Amino acid sequence: MKISTYTVKPKLPNSLKPLEEIARNLWLSWNFDAVQLFIRLDYDVWLQSQQNPVRALGMVSQERFAQAAKDDSYLAALNEVYDRFLKYKKGETWYRGPRKDVVAYFSMEYGMDVSLPIYSGGLGILSGDHMKSSSDMGLPLVGIGLLYRQGYFKQVLNADGFQQESYPENDWYNMPVDKKTDRDGMPLKISVDLAGKIAIAQIWEVKVGRSSLYLLDTNIEENDGDIRNITAALYGGDKETRMQQEILLGIGGIRALRAMGINPAATHMNEGHAAFLGLERIRELVQEKGFTFDEAKEAVWPTNIFTTHTPVPAGNERFDISMIEKYFHSWTSILGISWHDFLGLGRIHPSDERETYCMTVLALKMAAYANGVAKLHGVVSRDMWKGLWPSLPLDEVPIGHVTNGVHPRTWVSNNMIELLDRYLGPHFEEEPTDLAVWDRMNRISDEELWRTHERRRERLVAFARDRIRQHYTRTGAVERRIQQAEDALSPYALTLAFARRFATYKRGNLLLRDPERLLRLVRDTERPIQLIFAGKAHPMDMPGKDLIRDIIHFAEKYDVTSRIVFIENYDMSVARYLTSGADVWLNTPRRPMEASGTSGMKAAMNGVLNCSILDGWWDEAYNPDVGWAIGQGEQYADTNLQDDIESKALYDLLERDIIPLFYQRGRDGLPREWIRRMKASMREIGQSMSSHRMLMDYSNQFYFPALKNYRRIVRDDFIESKALAAYFGKLRQAWDTLRIIKIESNAKPVMQRGDSLTVTALIELGSLNPEELLIELYQGAVSNQSGYIEHAHRTEMKVVGQDGNAFQYQVRIECTDTGFQGHTIRILPKHEALVHPYRSGFIKWA
């Protein structure tokens, strides 16, 4: 059966036309007054549309449009919002530089808004906040991702509390996405080769304020069914589907940008899923400019940025060599390298035939700039991937950190935003990079802050009751049980929230470990606590599903279902209620397995106090004024012992500190000390964990240097990259001939602070010249335990003479540190085009 297709759009009166433009720009997702326009238009329709403004416009009756078009109050509100929207798009921004060349940001998922369900959890939410902050700051950045027909699953719990999944289809013609077309109005398409099959993808655009996100979609008529299913579901399918998705994202993403006339001068891989983009960027130079592989790699390497999010080796994507061979063996002739060398790009040990192909390794080898997502995660990542830089001290492994952040106007509740706008002033909205504005928190009266927070707790309780009622009705509960939902939770009790992905290492059941102790707290009539849980387990993670069921069974077994509740289908909408309405945000991962985490940041900016293990972002943000730490950052080999110790520490905190502080009220009924900590939390976390701080870090540390590298490289027709490739070719030939013949110094057994020390070394350079090598004195305190130099000072040595084929190097330093000191000498590459000298295999120690 042949069906002719066309698109039907709502017919809006001229005075309401701005609604369509607002609905199709996710600026709306962080501006509640824009959302209110759709709520006010038809509240029932807004709920039925599942808070999707584009769909809502298609559901509103023409009669209602006609009424609104004559409503001067509604039109005034619409015009005011639209004027702000236009002012936002045209206004001055933090970034005011050139916009010709862009940073292309690649991520497998984006959590922008409930109206665009193409995210599963933290990685996607981070990507969404990244895009929104980029818009606020006016950065020359575009996003690249995939358009999933089903997105991530919808979670429902059966009557026994066991998670089940459903996969509703997304209707893209009623969502805030627009198909990109060519000059003739035809859909713009690109293609990628998938093991001999050509996959064609069309491109969709999501407008995010000033910025754009482009999504690739293979669900089109030109493709066979298996190819159409590549973009069927986020993290769906088998390992082969993952391979195809990652080829489409990395290789297809670069081709999509080219097709739209966008030049990805620098690329940012958010996790290893997009690492194949490095191969595509190299292929372009090899095939279109006749470069060798080494020349092309040196041209691309200084403009690539990679962010790793995974603190455990098993969580990093790996493919069997047979899979890589199926999809990439033909690339060896395209790139002009051997199969052994191609496999080496994805291996820590290139000659180990048993090692699988790791996307994180490929990304690290392709990128000059790499980072973890919290200070502690940077330490963990350097330790995880140190094998890529053998002989390099751990603290010099070139993986830094940029701690994640969250977009305040997305995650701070509309009630709290109104309060902050009033007291922090217009600067708070108009200059989001001026983080010092949070110092004005003390302008807000305790009474207003507490009342605003209480209003959010009341809304959370009402929302939770409604969700519980829906669950009982759907699972066929008796009427008495349904009516009990009306009494679930209290709008006045101390409310603890635990909401995140239900994986075993996050320990969602840690608080249930001592039932007697917990029940005493929950059943206390004078100072009660209540717990709200939410979160999805991966469809294949049975232990994670069991954790959810354990919580529900616990509440039923001990008849505390009115005090311990689980909210189904955790998404951005649920998260907003929880992070703004809870009193305490609970996080209990096994350190150091939480890379960063961001939900606690959202809570903190709403005045919710954190109680967490010192892991991820909390390890660097914690101080006693902004929340509580469970333990002191200990790590245990025995996980059962760890759970016992840390659950007891959590009970102690609740009993001795958190509960008494919350219920300690003055004559006016206000918990003054609690409010003081709320203000401190909002002030400190608002400054340190804002996504605008995060984007300024990325810009200053990575984006601006990478764009500068690109402009320098192309200015002279890539002569610098060719010179660098030739330099490394020469270095490979000569490296084994380098010899540190001897080291001498005038050090005495005991030196005084302030004494000078002269070190001389004789080094045979072979065919290399002194200016081609960095000779460093590596000096510092020697550890009694390891015998190695720790926290070293590095000082470049200079040539002072020549003895035949050997060169004499010398440096003079001052003894500044006391204690047991030592020094040695090392050789590193030295070239003006190097971003850093730490290249695998090129370090030689005395």
Side-chain angles (χ1 to χ4, degrees), residues 116-163:
L116 190 66
I118 56 169
Y119 62 94
S120 70
L123 181 73
I125 300 300
L126 174 79
S127 303
D129 285 1
H130 200 105
M131 291 298 303
K132 292 173 184 178
S133 304
S134 168
S135 166
D136 288 343
M137 296 164 64
L139 291 174
L141 182 143
V142 299
I144 293 288
L146 303 182
L147 189 76
Y148 303 102
R149 196 165 71 242
Q150 294 177 335
Y152 205 49
F153 69 89
K154 183 178 179 181
Q155 178 196 52
V156 290
L157 303 181
N158 66 15
D160 188 44
F162 188 75
Q163 173 182 295

Side-chain angles (χ1 to χ4, degrees), residues 371-519:
N371 70 285
V373 289
K375 186 177 181 180
L376 178 61
H377 184 231
V379 174
V380 171
S381 298
R382 287 190 288 277
D383 189 51
M384 275 179 63
W385 303 110
K386 61 189 176 186
L388 285 169
W389 294 272
S391 304
L392 197 62
L394 192 59
D395 63 347
E396 290 186 273
V397 168
I399 302 175
H401 79 275
V402 172
T403 302
N404 283 346
V406 299
H407 188 252
R409 298 193 85 84
T410 293
W411 294 107
V412 177
S413 73
N414 60 292
N415 304 99
M416 193 65 77
I417 282 288
E418 287 174 6
L419 188 66
L420 295 176
D421 279 340
R422 197 159 71 245
Y423 282 95
L424 306 191
H427 213 52
F428 180 54
E429 179 182 10
E430 294 167 6
E431 300 284 347
T433 54
D434 183 5
L435 303 174
V437 74
W438 288 92
D439 286 332
R440 300 176 182 177
M441 277 302 303
N442 284 333
R443 294 181 178 183
I444 303 174
S445 71
D446 289 357
E447 290 82 0
E448 281 197 273
L449 183 62
W450 187 245
R451 183 62 200 124
T452 302
H453 177 65
E454 285 194 310
R455 194 177 307 134
R456 293 311 307 181
R457 194 190 313 114
E458 290 163 5
R459 292 193 176 186
L460 168 60
V461 168
F463 172 77
R465 287 172 176 173
D466 186 53
R467 282 297 187 94
I468 296 164
R469 189 187 310 111
Q470 289 177 30
H471 167 73
Y472 285 155
T473 302
R474 196 192 70 250
T475 55
V478 296
E479 186 62 30
R480 178 182 59 81
R481 191 75 182 273
I482 296 172
Q483 288 176 353
Q484 282 179 345
E486 298 295 340
D487 296 322
L489 305 173
S490 162
Y492 312 108
L494 172 60
T495 305
L496 281 68
F498 180 97
R500 55 203 4 94
R501 183 165 56 89
F502 265 77
T504 51
Y505 81 86
K506 292 179 183 282
R507 299 187 295 179
N509 60 348
L510 190 67
L511 200 52
L512 312 184
R513 203 165 176 85
D514 187 339
E516 185 180 336
R517 206 167 171 185
L518 175 59
L519 291 169

